[in-house]
Amino acid sequence: MVVVSVDSGSDDVNMQRKGRSESPFVSADHLRAYLLSMATRMRERITMDTIRPLPLFLGVTGPSFCFSAGAFTPPSRHMDRTSVEKVHGRISLNFAYFASNYALLFLGVSLVVALSHPGMLLYLGMLWTLWYVSNFLTDNDIPIVIFGHDVGHAITAQKRTAFLTYLSVVIVIWKCLLPMLSVILISVVMILFHAIMRDPKHIESSSAFSLRSEDSDEDEEEGQFQEEVIVEKGDAMSN
């Protein structure tokens, strides 16, 4: 009996270890599925039809192109328990309304940073050319002949792929890492500043959000009507 209990206990321990070892793969799958769903949701939300006009995005009024006094205001003038909720609510509302504008802002920052680094563009162009030539030679089975000698057996497709992969990693770290970090940092700062400080009163008065408010008002009226009917029935039963 003792041997059986020890074996069963060891089996339980092994099953627990297997479950623990398999848990990272499960979390990775969940993370991948979550990222795919987020990408699909953003792709459906970011369209040309949802790009807001520039005066509305910047809070500009009048023909003089001046910023409105109430366009950018802090979400809360006093720090209290509701400040975090107010900031979160404003960010969520502005992200839902200006998602396409924020995507254009990110693309604009990327374009400006890329044009300010011509060396990076030159290296990326050379790298793209090398990959294109290598894939073209491999797909069409073209021999590599140098001075009348076929060197295809020495420079095989596997060796070319390994060399170009190593070269790509070096160029990305050497030439592209700093511009990529600059794009991310500048975009995040500008987008978060706009999402936090842009007063969402114009969003609440827009046609899209007015329809939602009308639907919510209708739901509230229906709920009140149902409550009144229930109260009247209760009064009738008591009488």
Side-chain angles (χ1 to χ4, degrees), residues 96-113:
Y97 192 71
F98 292 114
S100 299
N101 296 77
Y102 292 151
L104 289 179
L105 178 61
F106 178 79
L107 292 178
V109 172
S110 302
L111 181 61
V112 171
V113 173

Side-chain angles (χ1 to χ4, degrees), residues 35-169:
L35 293 178
L36 289 176
S37 63
M38 288 291 295
T40 304
R41 194 180 311 162
M42 293 301 295
R43 194 183 304 113
E44 294 176 353
R45 181 177 298 178
I46 299 175
T47 59
M48 295 298 296
D49 297 333
T50 58
I51 297 177
R52 311 303 174 185
L54 186 61
L56 180 62
F57 181 70
L58 297 178
V60 176
T61 58
S64 59
F65 205 76
C66 296
F67 290 97
S68 176
F72 292 90
T73 58
S76 178
R77 299 186 182 276
H78 303 283
M79 296 298 296
D80 52 12
R81 296 179 179 178
T82 62
S83 299
V84 178
E85 297 180 358
K86 292 179 180 179
V87 172
H88 182 268
R90 177 173 287 193
I91 291 176
S92 301
L93 189 61
N94 284 330
F95 262 95
Y97 192 71
F98 292 114
S100 299
N101 296 77
Y102 292 151
L104 289 179
L105 178 61
F106 178 79
L107 292 178
V109 172
S110 302
L111 181 61
V112 171
V113 173
L115 292 178
S116 62
H117 293 80
M120 178 191 69
L121 299 178
L122 178 62
Y123 277 97
L124 288 178
M126 294 173 58
L127 183 63
W128 180 86
T129 303
L130 291 176
W131 274 107
Y132 178 80
V133 172
S134 177
N135 293 331
F136 181 79
L137 295 176
T138 303
D139 296 338
N140 296 277
D141 197 13
I142 299 176
I144 303 176
V145 180
I146 300 178
F147 297 108
H149 299 281
D150 188 5
V151 295
H153 61 280
I155 309 177
T156 61
Q158 291 79 6
K159 293 182 180 180
R160 292 199 305 268
T161 302
F163 172 75
L164 290 177
T165 302
Y166 174 77
L167 184 63
S168 300
V169 173

Side-chain angles (χ1 to χ4, degrees), residues 166-180:
Y166 174 77
L167 184 63
S168 300
V169 173
V170 172
I171 290 178
V172 168
I173 296 176
W174 179 38
K175 287 293 184 180
C176 302
L177 182 59
L178 184 59
M180 289 172 58

